Amino acid sequence: MLPAMHALLRFFVPWEPSPLAWLLAIAAIVLYWRGQRLRPVSRWRRAAWWIGLTLCYVAMQSRWDYFSEHAFFLQRLQHLVLHHLGPFLLVLAYPGPQLRAALPLRWRVRGARVLRHMAPLRWALNVLLNPWVAASLFVGVIALWLYPPVQFVAMLDDRIYRLMNWSMLLDGFLFWWLVLDPRAKPPARLSPGMRVVLPLLVALPQIMMGAFITFTGEDLYPAFEVCGRVFPWLTFQTDQYLGGLIIWIPAAMMSVIAALLAMRRWTLLDARRHFNAWRRAAP
């Protein structure tokens, strides 16, 4: 029993400690805990927030990060969490009202005033939140880090490796926020129909990349041989087969689930619009 507990606790010890990850995690915990007391939220939204935050933290700050450096399919699982599942759950929780409520009013007013006067930041957000740019980035970030020469350099350079993980996380937030935004347009960036179409568009390239890696007989990622595979029985064929399946099936299924959720939100927004029109017309 004690050795098992010791091994479990060791798993959660950060492999490469990141003060930035710790700071962001602590800020997210404190702000949401305080905000959900001021602005009560449903149980399922609270669960989505805490599960998503835990998954993102564990994927970046535990021994999982070490295993991801020594097995391609474990790295694909790590990026599935960082780019898909973790941000998906955090955005699905729609934590904006709770996080804003946790901040003092003067901070919110001052922050809004600063943002209004930062034209370069507004321009950058307008570009990044364009649906076609966001979809291209979503697929492009995956393809970039799967490109064998880039993957090889990232595996041997700690700075590029950390950049890879952070870029996956931030890009996941950007894309899923556009797709899962529950508000009508405006203030939402996308129309309800575009929120249904966009995740389906990014699914096809992921399926193609996953299928190619699954069925190729060539060792695309020799860096894992250089670093040493964590499982002695794991051949590069099996490793790439499992990694390709993760890109092919679970990642694409996340897009289908997002499209279904967006479709449900579309029907709710449409029903609300008709109800408001009926109420305005009623005597």
Side-chain angles (χ1 to χ4, degrees), residues 41-48:
V41 65
S42 65
R43 188 174 300 174
W44 75 264
R45 282 175 55 188
R46 287 201 306 270

Side-chain angles (χ1 to χ4, degrees), residues 62-135:
S62 71
R63 294 284 167 167
W64 189 354
D65 196 35
Y66 165 77
F67 295 134
S68 298
E69 296 179 8
H70 298 274
F72 177 69
F73 84 94
L74 291 177
Q75 188 186 86
R76 291 302 94 210
L77 281 175
Q78 181 191 36
H79 286 179
L80 179 69
V81 169
L82 291 177
H83 197 233
H84 287 69
L85 186 58
F88 185 95
L89 290 172
L90 289 172
V91 171
L92 193 63
Y94 190 52
Q98 285 68 45
L99 297 178
R100 284 195 300 270
L103 294 172
L105 179 60
R106 63 178 181 276
W107 288 18
R108 283 179 272 167
V109 174
R110 188 177 302 171
R113 187 181 301 119
V114 170
L115 288 176
R116 280 199 302 268
H117 290 85
M118 293 181 66
L121 178 61
R122 293 201 309 272
W123 178 85
L125 287 176
N126 287 333
V127 172
L128 293 174
L129 294 175
N130 178 280
W132 304 113
V133 173

Side-chain angles (χ1 to χ4, degrees), residues 204-222:
L204 181 59
Q206 294 179 82
I207 293 172
M208 295 172 63
M209 287 185 284
F212 174 77
I213 294 172
T214 298
F215 295 118
T216 187
E218 180 185 355
D219 187 1
L220 298 175
Y221 305 105

Side-chain angles (χ1 to χ4, degrees), residues 17-234:
S18 170
L20 177 60
W22 296 347
L23 179 62
L24 292 176
I26 292 171
I29 291 170
V30 172
L31 288 176
Y32 192 81
W33 179 79
R34 185 170 186 268
Q36 60 93 24
R37 295 179 66 189
L38 299 173
R39 293 284 300 271
V41 65
S42 65
R43 188 174 300 174
W44 75 264
R45 282 175 55 188
R46 287 201 306 270
W49 169 265
W50 294 118
I51 293 172
L53 185 63
T54 302
L55 286 174
C56 289
Y57 180 81
V58 170
M60 296 189 73
Q61 291 294 291
S62 71
R63 294 284 167 167
W64 189 354
D65 196 35
Y66 165 77
F67 295 134
S68 298
E69 296 179 8
H70 298 274
F72 177 69
F73 84 94
L74 291 177
Q75 188 186 86
R76 291 302 94 210
L77 281 175
Q78 181 191 36
H79 286 179
L80 179 69
V81 169
L82 291 177
H83 197 233
H84 287 69
L85 186 58
F88 185 95
L89 290 172
L90 289 172
V91 171
L92 193 63
Y94 190 52
Q98 285 68 45
L99 297 178
R100 284 195 300 270
L103 294 172
L105 179 60
R106 63 178 181 276
W107 288 18
R108 283 179 272 167
V109 174
R110 188 177 302 171
R113 187 181 301 119
V114 170
L115 288 176
R116 280 199 302 268
H117 290 85
M118 293 181 66
L121 178 61
R122 293 201 309 272
W123 178 85
L125 287 176
N126 287 333
V127 172
L128 293 174
L129 294 175
N130 178 280
W132 304 113
V133 173
S136 300
L137 281 175
F138 189 79
V139 176
V141 167
I142 300 173
L144 172 66
W145 299 117
L146 284 177
Y147 185 53
V150 176
Q151 174 75 221
F152 189 88
V153 174
M155 292 296 296
L156 301 180
D157 190 317
D158 289 342
R159 295 168 299 177
I160 300 178
Y161 187 85
R162 288 192 294 269
L163 175 63
M164 174 176 66
N165 287 343
W166 279 105
S167 66
M168 296 293 282
L169 181 65
L170 296 176
D171 184 62
F173 275 117
L174 175 72
F175 182 79
W176 294 121
W177 173 248
L178 283 175
V179 172
L180 299 176
D181 192 341
R183 302 170 298 174
K185 180 186 178 181
R189 293 270 179 169
L190 302 184
S191 65
M194 182 59 75
R195 281 175 255 181
V196 175
V197 172
L198 207 60
L200 298 178
L201 290 177
V202 302
L204 181 59
Q206 294 179 82
I207 293 172
M208 295 172 63
M209 287 185 284
F212 174 77
I213 294 172
T214 298
F215 295 118
T216 187
E218 180 185 355
D219 187 1
L220 298 175
Y221 305 105
F224 290 95
E225 294 290 349
V226 175
C227 297
R229 298 191 185 274
V230 69
F231 303 117
W233 51 265
L234 189 66

